[in-house]
Amino acid sequence: MIIGVGIDVAEIDRFGAAMERTPGLAERVFVRRELWLPSGERRGTASLAARFAAKEALAKALGAPGGLRWTDAEVWTLPSGQPRLRVRGTVAERAAELGVRTWHVSLSHDAGVASAVVVAEGEPAAGPAPDGSADDWPADDGWPAR
């Protein structure tokens, strides 16, 4: 079952400018493996902007709670190039609260914009559905009968 979906975009030039003018920003947002390619080269700005968008999208998929640490979510890549998410700490705790067991992520960058979509999948925790699903609806929604 889908627990949450998040989407985000980042202007690549704007993201790059923020990285240049703010010393240490990259290390506060990304874990070391995200900053470097397997070849040892530093990852490009477009790729980092897409990873930043994925972290924002992940937060949205979790309901955008406060207190999540950027480095508690990591975007990594299979040898095939397919992106994956690895979570720990504050992000893993929130995901467990919601019943998230599996992550799906898609990254893209084109025409100066990086984008990401994240889907959180699992079994929701017990209790009323807080997401506006049918479990939350009143018996009479006030609309005329059809």
Side-chain angles (χ1 to χ4, degrees):
M1 167 179 240
I2 294 175
I3 304 292
V5 177
I7 185 169
D8 197 67
V9 298
E11 289 182 54
I12 296 168
D13 289 344
R14 184 175 173 202
F15 177 80
M19 298 286 279
E20 286 180 21
R21 79 172 169 266
T22 311
L25 178 61
E27 288 73 21
R28 288 195 305 270
V29 174
F30 301 107
V31 300
R32 182 173 292 149
R33 287 182 298 265
E34 290 176 300
L35 293 171
W36 300 94
L37 295 167
S39 66
E41 294 177 72
R42 185 149 173 112
R43 192 173 297 279
T45 304
S47 180
L48 289 175
R51 281 161 171 70
F52 178 78
K55 291 176 186 233
E56 288 277 341
L58 181 145
K60 291 172 183 176
L62 293 176
L68 299 180
R69 292 186 55 202
W70 291 108
T71 54
D72 283 349
E74 176 185 350
V75 180
W76 60 283
T77 313
L78 293 172
S80 66
Q82 183 178 9
R84 296 281 199 217
L85 287 170
R86 181 178 292 130
V87 300
R88 61 186 144 272
T90 58
V91 176
E93 289 168 15
R94 176 63 177 168
E97 288 173 11
L98 296 176
V100 177
R101 294 186 184 150
T102 305
W103 297 101
H104 306 276
V105 60
S106 181
L107 308 176
S108 186
H109 44 81
D110 188 32
V113 176
S115 61
V117 175
V118 170
V119 177
E121 185 180 2
E123 292 299 322
D131 61 359
S133 65
D135 294 341
D136 282 351
W137 294 359
D140 177 8
D141 62 7
W143 288 88
R146 294 176 243 264

